[in-house]
Amino acid sequence: MTRGNLVGRLSTLAKLACTLLFPLALLAAAPKPAAADDYPSRSIRLIIPFPPGGSNDVVGRIIANQLGQKLGQQVFVDNRAGAGGVVGTDIAAKAAPDGYTLLVVSIAHAVDPWLYKETFDPVKDFVPVSIFATGTNVLTVNPKLPVHSVQELLAYAKEKPGELNYASAGIGSFQHLSGELFKLTSGANIQHVPYKGGGPAMLAVIAGEAQVMFSSIVQTVPSIQAGSLRALATGGEKPSPILPDLPTIAASGVPGYVATNWWGVVAPKGTPQPIVDKLHNAVAQVLKSAETQKYLDNEGAAPVEMGSAEFGKFIEAEIAKWGPVVQKAGMKAE
């Protein structure tokens, strides 16, 4: 065999080897799908986009503790407050979609798109995992305010228009939505004062900086029981089992008034479906446990069963529902 023939044959063999090995190299380099069996292998961050003390924080921590037990890894809470939940939500949207960063969402997740210029899409940039629970609000006042019913509050507001302030966790928060809905349905002339979270807002009413609050039962029951807040009525369609002696706001002279908050968990877009399914099943187990139900019952929240896809449609429906309320009330983010 001549030297030229040998070189030609070796060149041909080299080309053939490259042709055969190139697809295998691509296959080896391709990212492997996350295995749910191996998840989680380390601790999980649960972002709560509000300060400690509010309803998002209370419910999130109830779930986080037992979810960690079910998954065999710590689920630690990371409070990232700011801009009505937008700051923490933005952090979650940009996190790696590996199941190790999760986000607690609530009614604020459905309202923020109407208030803020977001750098993320609340639907397209997240994968719904599971809803946790729902909970109505409770209308409370500072005990020094000389009113003991919704009708007395309305009469006081009419007698002294603009002198009553209601505190909220911030622009577009559940408390804010509840208060604006109350104003729209009752005609009460009360002024909104936003605070940086539900905890600070509640402390403001207790201290007398503001006089009124439409807060989640989940956060307010201990202060009601301690006598530092006076409860007048609840905002659900029916009386709350945790505060059975209180009438509803609708039955107290404000027909049509219903305000219900909700809490759930989502993951960044691209999180593998096997991991989403494993998380959903773990949350379902947590919500069925007697311990969790006791915690939620004591806080005035009710566990909800809903599939991941159904939860996604629920979020979209909430976004469509609250948009007109935001616009009619003239809410504007600061």
Side-chain angles (χ1 to χ4, degrees):
M1 180 180 293
T2 66
R3 178 181 178 84
N5 289 338
L6 178 60
V7 172
R9 179 169 293 184
L10 289 174
S11 177
T12 300
L13 290 173
K15 291 179 181 179
L16 179 61
C18 288
T19 302
L20 293 173
L21 293 176
F22 184 66
L24 295 176
L26 287 178
L27 183 61
K32 297 180 181 179
D37 291 343
D38 298 331
Y39 171 85
S41 58
R42 53 187 172 86
S43 60
I44 298 169
R45 175 173 65 157
L46 181 66
I47 294 177
I48 297 179
F50 291 95
S55 63
N56 293 271
D57 185 65
V58 172
V59 174
R61 289 177 184 275
I62 289 173
I63 300 299
N65 181 47
Q66 294 201 55
L67 183 61
Q69 296 177 17
K70 294 294 182 183
L71 294 173
Q73 293 287 346
Q74 180 190 12
V75 177
F76 67 92
V77 169
D78 184 9
N79 293 93
R80 295 297 186 99
V86 172
V87 172
T89 303
D90 185 65
I91 293 172
K94 293 177 172 58
D98 54 11
Y100 290 97
T101 297
L102 306 175
L103 173 71
V104 170
V105 291
S106 63
I107 196 171
H109 195 68
V111 175
D112 285 348
W114 300 98
L115 292 170
Y116 298 92
K117 186 177 181 181
E118 299 175 331
T119 58
F120 55 86
D121 188 301
V123 174
K124 295 180 180 179
D125 288 340
F126 295 95
V127 178
V129 176
S130 178
I131 193 170
F132 294 152
T134 60
T136 187
N137 68 5
V138 56
L139 168 55
T140 59
V141 297
N142 181 284
K144 294 182 180 180
L145 192 70
V147 300
H148 295 79
S149 69
V150 173
Q151 285 299 314
E152 289 183 4
L153 178 65
L154 293 175
Y156 190 96
K158 186 176 181 179
E159 180 183 347
K160 300 182 179 181
E163 291 190 15
L164 286 179
N165 296 323
Y166 79 90
S168 84
I171 302 292
S173 63
F174 179 50
Q175 293 93 333
H176 187 197
L177 290 168
S178 298
E180 290 304 310
L181 183 62
F182 184 80
K183 290 173 63 175
L184 289 171
T185 51
S186 71
N189 187 352
I190 56 177
Q191 305 303 311
H192 174 229
V193 180
Y195 287 82
K196 294 182 179 180
M202 183 171 62
L203 291 176
V205 178
I206 292 173
E209 293 177 11
Q211 299 79 38
V212 183
M213 187 174 183
F214 299 84
S215 54
S216 298
I217 292 180
V218 68
Q219 114 185 62
T220 317
V221 166
S223 296
I224 294 172
Q225 293 174 337
S228 52
L229 288 173
R230 178 185 298 143
L232 303 184
T234 53
E237 294 181 353
K238 300 178 180 179
S240 168
I242 197 68
L243 298 169
D245 296 332
L246 288 183
T248 65
I249 294 175
S252 301
V254 189
Y257 183 92
V258 176
T260 302
N261 198 0
W262 51 269
W263 305 271
V265 62
V266 297
K269 176 185 176 182
T271 301
Q273 191 60 44
I275 288 179
V276 173
D277 292 340
K278 188 166 188 176
L279 285 167
H280 175 81
N281 292 336
V283 171
Q285 293 177 35
V286 168
L287 293 176
K288 289 179 181 177
S289 75
E291 186 176 1
T292 301
Q293 291 183 9
K294 180 181 178 181
Y295 280 135
L296 292 175
D297 286 346
N298 288 341
E299 301 295 347
V304 177
E305 291 186 17
M306 192 180 292
S308 296
E310 186 181 1
F311 182 40
K313 293 179 180 178
F314 173 85
I315 293 174
E316 293 181 22
E318 285 288 285
I319 293 174
K321 169 186 174 181
W322 286 105
V325 175
V326 171
Q327 294 173 332
K328 191 171 182 179
M331 294 185 192
K332 293 183 180 180
E334 295 180 337

